Amino acid sequence: MRSICFYFQVHQPFRLRTYRFFDIGKDHNYFDEFQNRYIARRVADKCYLPTNQVMLDLIKEYGSGFKISYSISGTALDQFELYTPDVIESFRRLAETGCVEFLAETYTHSLSALKSKEEFTTQVEAQRNKIESLFGIRPRTFRNTELIYSDHIGEMVADMGFETMLTEGAKHVLGWKSPNYMYRNAINPKLKLLLKNFQLSDDIAFRFSQRSWESWPLTTEKFVDWLNNIDQNQEVVNLFMDYETFGEHQWSETGIFDFLRALPGRVFSHSNYSFNTPSELTDRMQPVAAIHVPHPISWADEERDLTAWLGNDLQDEAFDSIYAIEHKVKSTQNFDLIKEWRYLQTSDHFYYMCTKWFSDGDVHKYFNPYGSPYEAFINYMNVLSDFTIRLDNFYETNNIQSEPEQVNNIPVKEVQKVTKKETITKVAPKKVKEVAIKVTSLNPVLKVEDTELKRKLKLINNKSLAIALVGVNKEINAKVLGNLSKSIQKDINEFDLSKIDKKEVDEARKALLKVLKGK
Amino acid sequence: MKVLMFGWEFPPHITGGLGTACFGLTKGLLHQGVQVIFVVPKAYGDENQQAVRLLSASEVPVDIRDTLYKDHWEDISYIEVGSNLIPYNTPEQFYDIINYTRETGKSEYDSIFSKYYQFSGKYGQNLMEEVQRYALVASTIALQNTFDVIHAHDWLTYPAGIAAKKISGKPLIIHVHATEFDRSGENINQNVYDIERLGMEKADLIIAVSNLTRNIIIERYGIDPDKVHVVHNAVEPTTRPGYTYEEKYVKEKIVTFLGRVTFQKGPDYFVEAAYKVLQKDKNVRFVMAGSGDMLNRMIRRVAELRISKNFHFTGFLDAENVDRMFAMSDVYVMPSVSEPFGISPLEAMRSNVPVVISKQSGVSEVLKYALKIDFWDIDAMADAIYGLLHYDALSKMFIHHGKAEVDNMKWDAAAGMVKDVYLKAIQN
């Protein structure tokens, strides 16, 4: 028994509105509410709802014989919730059949895997939780944005506990090998890989309605013949495509829905294929070999690389800029800022800045709301400028210092310890404020005569003195302790000072200096 | 005295300094008691069948709040000629635009990054043909009107001026706002050059907007120096209310380049200078306002230098947004490689913005309170920008005296000089 594995990508970005230079610092609405709503509704009516209905009918007709899988980005789900809740409902009905698997991906369809492991992991976890809360199924198979994969990314995915990942069966990676087997990651052999059969996938996704194509019109008879032509030993044909293929990229008039409706019947009657989900294949199949992918691949364009999103100066500048503020954004713990920052990571924004108009320009143009990549870049950077201003303002109004500064007389090491702890445990901003307090310096102590110091120190109670000495440098410490009796020295060393904060230290020091100044 | 003037668009429909200058000059002339028949090419596609129409005052798109202008309505006739002519276009760009219009059926061209042009497609498909067709219409106008002198602005209207002179026998004055060498550097378009030279030769007298331009006319076109007079441009006191107190929403200081993003204007030097300043001071935002054939290259360069966070592009700005931009600016830079005059620094100074201008501009001949640098000297440019941003005494002095200096440059005075040229031409 051989398998056909269907996976459909469902994604909608939060498109940006036209954001002029004059808006920077003034207007903080970045997203084109009208366009996003309009497109979500249009695609829902043309694609998601009718195609889901076809899938539901097929599952009803063939029972557990017909199985499919979806990867739905978090941004798409957010938009469905906002604009087209009927789409969520429709996916829910599909989920209830038990014949549908939902895959994990990054929440905002981002390229974070290439830049930040922390952000990547967080986003995947967020999307998994979202899927689970909506459909009651926790994804256990992973597919990355645009099927982007490398040995390193695979390793990270394996670390996150996934058993299987989907990617492109790129020719330059496979060479003579067939995509119709299960493979494994080159670094961590536990991670199984399912590779897209781009020939047969693209026959449906891109060439279906292309009249200049020699095989037009594509019928289920032809398609099943091609499936049958595949060597009997090859185990799985992975048909991965955008869900929008049905009804949106290939209009209903092209007959794409009829094709879809008829395909399973033809497969069952004229071939020995069954339909399976990636999870079923994970449980059933074993990898035949490792594949080596040192440089990231994707499912886009003829080159199957990253050049649709990254590589020209515009894209690199924008991409570096958005991740340069990662730490700063996260430290705010502000829901809105973090959410918008994530929406700005969506790969589509970088796709619009692509300048390779020659071979795949048509496809790019079709999805591009901007007149040119330059306009896309300017618009994005304007938005990012405003976002950065808001971020700085957030730090200012909440009185947080963005960069940890050395506090007076407290050894650098200690300060680092404090700030490091903050970023890890993410204490509330209020605590951070205390670190920023400048602690009064005890340097004047060094100028006081020993005899006078000895006399005056006796006027101060031991606990207060101990607190004042927290974090002083060696010189001052020696000077003060040298003028104290042994019993008092011992006393001071025995106080528990672990819970003392900077404010108390500062106060104790001020008191000490006051006493020293007095007669 | 009555002048037949072949001019360019009036505000608010304006694409650059040429329209502003025509407008100011016309007003000044009216004030000097000169009557004007103002002829402009216009291509909005909705014209009726007759190619020329005489407009009543109410139809002219001029700011009617302008009382001076109103007072003199009886002294001006305004004639629109259906035509695709646009100032600043090279024959190649013209061809591109016409083709775009024809192929796409769209009557607008590149709506965000350039001026909104509309075409009817009814007129000439080739700029040279169009210039000649326009001259034909001009001769008709010359036949139907009486006047004492003809005044033509820039090369596109020279043939019209020549034709009008032939028909009427009246003296022709051509006004050179820019030459082909300013627009294209050394790689000139021979056809354009030929038309320019023919215009200069056929003209009775020539008005140049600066000594710089006068020298080019004499040296590059071989024109008799006695024929060429310099009348520097002036600037209108601002009439548009509003944006003087525009609230600035970013806390960084703003340094602005405003103009067509073309070779002539030196935008690349501005980008390089911005990079230098940003190495020293991150609390500055640079803005490149305007559009042109070098815009995309500038965007790429800015991205390559990794300074996009502090360097912004606005695309083409209309009059209102230009005022807004000036109101937000702390320093204005005009790094033109070759600028016959350059009216925009005057507008900046009028809005209390200190300016850095290139020595290769006509306006540097008349301005005292401006920092002048060589366009290629990006170190000096960065230095000047940094100085104006950081040394308050310097910028205060420039703002204060600069404003006074500009307020004294009145179109009335310039128009008086133009009138003298008219008189001289008539006497000859």
Side-chain angles (χ1 to χ4, degrees):
Chain A
M1 218 31 186
R2 301 189 281 171
S3 296
I4 292 172
C5 178
F6 261 126
Y7 135 67
F8 305 108
Q9 179 60 39
V10 181
H11 168 60
Q12 289 298 328
F14 276 90
R15 293 163 197 86
L16 299 172
R17 71 178 181 86
T18 303
Y19 194 88
R20 305 292 307 271
F21 165 74
F22 295 108
D23 296 326
I24 297 173
K26 182 172 153 191
D27 190 325
H28 310 309
N29 294 319
Y30 307 143
F31 303 103
D32 193 332
E33 166 93 17
F34 175 82
Q35 205 197 10
N36 289 329
R37 177 190 296 272
Y38 167 77
I39 292 177
R41 190 66 259 171
R42 187 190 72 195
V43 183
D45 291 340
K46 283 176 78 177
C47 163
Y48 301 144
L49 294 173
T51 318
N52 280 4
Q53 192 54 52
V54 171
M55 296 299 183
L56 203 59
D57 293 345
L58 287 171
I59 291 169
K60 270 186 196 147
E61 191 175 344
Y62 298 106
S64 59
F66 185 67
K67 286 180 174 164
I68 49 177
S69 62
Y70 293 100
S71 183
I72 314 180
S73 70
T75 50
L77 290 169
D78 285 352
Q79 290 194 33
F80 296 155
E81 284 181 320
L82 282 169
Y83 310 132
T84 58
D86 43 342
V87 173
I88 300 261
E89 208 37 58
S90 152
F91 275 114
R92 225 171 240 153
R93 280 196 297 276
L94 278 171
E96 282 160 5
T97 63
C99 294
V100 173
E101 178 177 1
F102 291 94
L103 310 182
E105 66 166 302
T106 54
Y107 196 91
T108 63
H109 203 78
S110 71
L111 305 172
S112 52
L114 300 165
K115 199 80 181 179
S116 162
K117 182 173 183 180
E118 185 194 323
E119 176 61 12
F120 179 56
T121 317
T122 316
Q123 282 211 18
V124 172
E125 203 48 40
Q127 192 264 0
R128 272 175 118 179
N129 291 340
K130 182 92 185 175
I131 293 282
E132 191 176 11
S133 73
L134 286 174
F135 307 119
I137 309 167
R138 189 163 179 79
R140 52 177 284 220
T141 305
F142 185 77
R143 72 111 244 169
N144 197 16
T145 308
E146 309 290 344
L147 293 189
I148 291 170
Y149 173 83
S150 69
D151 293 341
H152 173 65
I153 293 172
E155 189 192 11
M156 286 198 293
V157 170
D159 288 348
M160 285 154 67
F162 290 102
E163 294 165 80
T164 306
M165 180 169 172
L166 276 46
T167 185
E168 172 70 29
K171 242 188 234 164
H172 68 272
V173 165
L174 283 177
W176 55 269
K177 297 202 251 339
S178 157
N180 306 331
Y181 292 99
M182 182 174 265
Y183 290 88
R184 64 173 172 262
N185 178 261
I187 300 173
N188 189 333
K190 277 189 192 150
L191 185 77
K192 298 175 171 175
L193 297 173
L194 287 169
L195 309 184
K196 176 183 153 193
N197 182 314
F198 67 81
Q199 188 71 43
L200 291 171
S201 300
D202 294 351
D203 284 342
I204 300 175
F206 297 133
R207 289 181 283 271
F208 185 81
S209 63
Q210 196 178 307
R211 286 175 186 242
S212 57
W213 180 36
E214 60 200 16
S215 302
W216 186 87
L218 181 60
T219 58
T220 52
E221 287 82 2
K222 270 187 216 170
F223 198 76
V224 173
D225 277 352
W226 292 339
L227 285 169
N228 283 329
N229 287 344
I230 292 171
D231 186 289
Q232 285 294 327
N233 293 325
Q234 305 199 359
E235 300 165 292
V236 57
V237 176
N238 295 310
L239 299 176
F240 301 165
M241 61 199 76
D242 281 332
Y243 203 35
E244 293 82 14
T245 297
F246 304 98
E248 174 74 9
H249 304 170
Q250 311 290 349
W251 295 352
S252 167
E253 290 77 10
T254 63
I256 189 80
F257 286 114
D258 303 314
F259 176 84
L260 182 61
R261 225 173 265 128
L263 185 64
R266 184 77 191 178
V267 167
F268 290 133
S269 60
H270 284 80
S271 80
N272 62 347
Y273 282 95
S274 65
F275 291 92
N276 294 98
T277 64
S279 290
E280 287 177 324
L281 297 176
T282 304
D283 296 338
R284 214 179 63 194
M285 288 167 66
Q286 285 307 316
V288 291
I291 53 166
H292 294 266
V293 188
H295 305 294
I297 56 170
S298 81
W299 72 355
D301 301 342
E302 194 55 40
E303 299 89 344
R304 301 294 198 270
D305 60 10
L306 301 181
T307 51
W309 305 277
L310 297 173
N312 74 30
D313 284 324
L314 309 180
Q315 295 168 321
D316 290 351
E317 163 88 325
F319 188 64
D320 289 345
S321 301
I322 188 80
Y323 285 103
I325 53 175
E326 174 179 356
H327 176 71
K328 211 168 164 185
V329 172
K330 287 182 176 169
S331 304
T332 64
Q333 299 198 37
N334 179 291
F335 178 77
D336 289 333
L337 285 174
I338 294 175
K339 187 173 105 181
E340 287 178 23
W341 176 67
R342 295 224 154 104
Y343 283 170
L344 289 175
Q345 287 181 40
T346 302
S347 65
D348 302 63
H349 300 309
F350 306 101
Y351 189 80
Y352 303 145
M353 301 174 201
C354 180
T355 43
K356 39 174 210 174
W357 296 107
F358 306 108
S359 50
D360 298 287
D362 288 345
V363 185
H364 287 253
K365 260 186 182 162
Y366 180 83
F367 298 105
N368 197 336
Y370 297 97
S372 78
Y374 301 97
E375 288 171 45
F377 173 73
I378 287 171
N379 211 49
Y380 186 83
M381 292 310 287
N382 282 349
V383 166
L384 200 57
S385 286
D386 182 75
F387 184 84
T388 313
I389 289 174
R390 275 170 66 205
L391 193 60
D392 291 340
N393 286 346
F394 182 89
Y395 275 82
E396 224 162 73
T397 51
N398 291 284
N399 224 338
I400 314 167
Q401 307 220 335
S402 48
E403 302 296 327
E405 272 179 35
Q406 188 183 340
V407 180
N408 233 17
N409 281 337
I410 294 182
V412 183
K413 239 186 195 169
E414 219 167 282
V415 179
Q416 280 172 343
K417 228 188 271 164
V418 176
T419 43
K420 205 172 169 192
K421 208 168 141 201
E422 276 155 15
T423 52
I424 293 164
T425 56
K426 291 189 179 162
V427 281
K430 252 193 174 170
K431 275 261 166 105
V432 188
K433 191 175 167 181
E434 284 163 11
V435 182
I437 285 178
K438 232 180 168 187
V439 180
T440 309
S441 162
L442 278 185
N443 283 335
V445 171
L446 295 171
K447 291 175 192 153
V448 182
E449 292 278 332
D450 278 354
T451 47
E452 197 193 347
L453 186 63
K454 207 174 268 180
R455 183 168 62 82
K456 284 184 173 163
L457 285 175
K458 281 177 188 163
L459 302 171
I460 300 164
N461 83 44
N462 295 347
K463 172 119 191 203
S464 170
L465 193 56
I467 293 170
L469 290 177
V470 169
V472 294
N473 65 29
K474 270 184 186 168
E475 204 183 347
I476 296 172
N477 202 36
K479 167 109 180 168
V480 173
L481 291 180
N483 287 305
L484 293 172
S485 68
K486 286 225 170 110
S487 65
I488 295 176
Q489 279 183 29
K490 198 181 157 199
D491 208 348
I492 283 176
N493 284 334
E494 274 169 12
F495 284 121
D496 175 19
L497 297 173
S498 60
K499 282 177 190 155
I500 301 298
D501 67 29
K502 303 286 172 292
K503 211 172 155 191
E504 289 172 81
V505 174
D506 188 53
E507 274 163 13
R509 288 189 182 181
K510 276 181 183 150
L512 173 63
L513 291 176
K514 205 174 167 188
V515 170
L516 290 180
K517 269 186 193 165
K519 286 177 184 174
Chain B
M1 195 195 296
K2 200 170 187 181
V3 57
L4 174 65
M5 187 177 285
F6 293 99
W8 293 99
E9 81 266 89
F10 271 8
H13 300 290
I14 198 126
T15 45
L18 193 49
T20 317
C22 284
F23 180 55
L25 181 63
T26 309
K27 267 171 69 173
L29 285 171
L30 294 173
H31 222 209
Q32 296 282 339
V34 178
Q35 291 181 310
V36 181
I37 305 168
F38 200 88
V39 186
V40 287
K42 201 157 227 181
Y44 283 102
D46 52 357
E47 299 95 320
N48 47 21
Q49 289 312 305
Q50 70 211 74
V52 181
R53 62 179 181 148
L54 194 63
L55 293 180
S56 67
S58 63
E59 283 180 84
V60 180
V62 174
D63 195 339
I64 43 166
R65 281 168 300 188
D66 196 328
T67 49
L68 171 80
Y69 214 73
K70 245 186 191 164
D71 293 344
H72 292 279
W73 268 127
E74 64 271 18
D75 294 331
I76 187 170
S77 315
Y78 188 89
I79 298 172
E80 281 183 0
V81 177
S83 168
N84 278 344
L85 289 187
I86 313 156
Y88 313 123
N89 270 330
T90 64
E92 291 77 23
Q93 282 168 332
F94 185 86
Y95 180 80
D96 285 348
I97 295 174
I98 293 292
N99 265 352
Y100 178 86
T101 310
R102 217 174 11 191
E103 279 166 17
T104 60
K106 282 183 197 164
S107 62
E108 63 194 78
Y109 180 71
D110 204 6
S111 61
I112 293 179
F113 275 128
S114 59
K115 174 79 174 100
Y116 198 93
Y117 290 130
Q118 283 190 313
F119 287 98
S120 68
K122 263 192 280 187
Y123 311 117
Q125 301 294 314
N126 161 311
L127 188 55
M128 292 302 159
E129 271 173 30
E130 184 59 17
V131 167
Q132 297 308 333
R133 201 188 64 82
Y134 190 67
L136 221 64
V137 178
S139 57
T140 317
I141 294 171
L143 209 59
Q144 289 165 348
N145 293 275
T146 54
F147 46 86
D148 304 303
V149 62
I150 306 156
H151 190 159
H153 294 272
D154 263 10
W155 75 273
L156 290 163
T157 66
Y158 294 169
I162 296 168
K165 182 183 172 178
K166 243 181 215 162
I167 292 282
S168 65
K170 302 290 181 191
L172 166 67
I173 287 142
I174 63 158
H175 201 136
V176 184
H177 295 264
T179 64
E180 181 62 8
F181 293 99
D182 300 310
R183 284 182 295 260
S184 310
E186 293 303 313
N187 305 315
I188 57 161
N189 180 309
Q190 191 60 38
N191 291 335
V192 175
Y193 176 83
D194 289 345
I195 290 179
E196 284 185 333
R197 208 177 62 181
L198 188 70
M200 291 171 190
E201 281 166 356
K202 296 277 179 193
D204 295 89
L205 290 174
I206 297 167
I207 296 173
V209 291
S210 64
N211 290 316
L212 193 86
T213 304
R214 182 171 181 267
N215 289 340
I216 294 176
I217 293 170
I218 294 165
E219 284 164 19
R220 298 293 191 117
Y221 294 84
I223 302 297
D224 174 12
D226 291 342
K227 233 171 101 174
V228 193
H229 297 257
V230 173
V231 177
H232 287 112
N233 284 338
V235 65
E236 280 295 304
T238 182
T239 49
R240 290 183 294 267
Y243 285 104
T244 342
Y245 299 104
E246 161 84 2
E247 210 180 317
K248 210 169 115 181
Y249 295 94
V250 293
K251 57 176 192 259
E252 293 87 356
K253 299 215 167 173
I254 293 181
V255 181
T256 307
F257 168 102
L258 199 150
R260 280 171 292 120
V261 185
T262 56
F263 157 81
Q264 184 196 348
K265 302 290 180 184
D268 33 352
Y269 301 100
F270 180 69
V271 171
E272 300 303 325
Y275 177 71
K276 295 220 165 207
V277 173
L278 286 169
Q279 301 305 303
K280 287 267 178 287
D281 183 2
K282 289 265 179 241
N283 291 314
V284 190
R285 286 178 190 273
F286 290 84
V287 178
M288 183 168 282
S291 173
D293 57 7
M294 270 173 72
L295 181 60
N296 288 350
R297 209 203 301 172
M298 292 303 102
I299 297 169
R300 276 204 306 272
R301 179 66 181 149
V302 163
E304 192 186 340
L305 291 169
R306 297 290 185 269
I307 53 172
S308 328
K309 282 190 269 319
N310 295 71
F311 200 115
H312 308 276
F313 295 89
T314 68
F316 180 85
L317 296 184
D318 56 19
E320 186 188 322
N321 278 320
V322 166
D323 284 355
R324 223 170 137 187
M325 197 63 243
F326 279 137
M328 291 169 78
S329 301
D330 294 283
V331 174
Y332 177 77
V333 185
M334 188 184 73
S336 298
V337 170
S338 174
E339 186 70 72
F341 188 77
I343 217 162
S344 61
L346 303 182
E347 292 176 327
M349 290 162 79
R350 195 180 58 188
S351 310
N352 294 317
V353 183
V355 299
V356 178
I357 57 176
S358 75
K359 288 177 186 168
Q360 290 70 23
S361 67
V363 72
S364 70
E365 295 167 11
V366 290
L367 278 183
K368 268 210 299 282
Y369 292 98
L371 284 173
K372 297 170 194 175
I373 43 102
D374 285 306
F375 71 86
W376 44 262
D377 193 349
I378 51 175
D379 287 328
M381 199 186 300
D383 222 33
I385 294 169
Y386 189 87
L388 285 172
L389 288 175
H390 288 86
Y391 312 131
D392 280 353
L394 189 67
S395 53
K396 265 186 198 147
M397 185 183 82
F398 272 70
I399 289 170
H400 181 70
H401 293 290
K403 172 100 171 153
E405 191 174 22
V406 168
D407 284 346
N408 282 326
M409 301 174 69
K410 296 246 163 61
W411 272 114
D412 271 0
M417 292 165 79
V418 169
K419 194 183 170 188
D420 290 344
V421 174
Y422 289 170
L423 287 170
K424 198 176 168 199
I426 293 167
Q427 277 160 16
N428 287 346

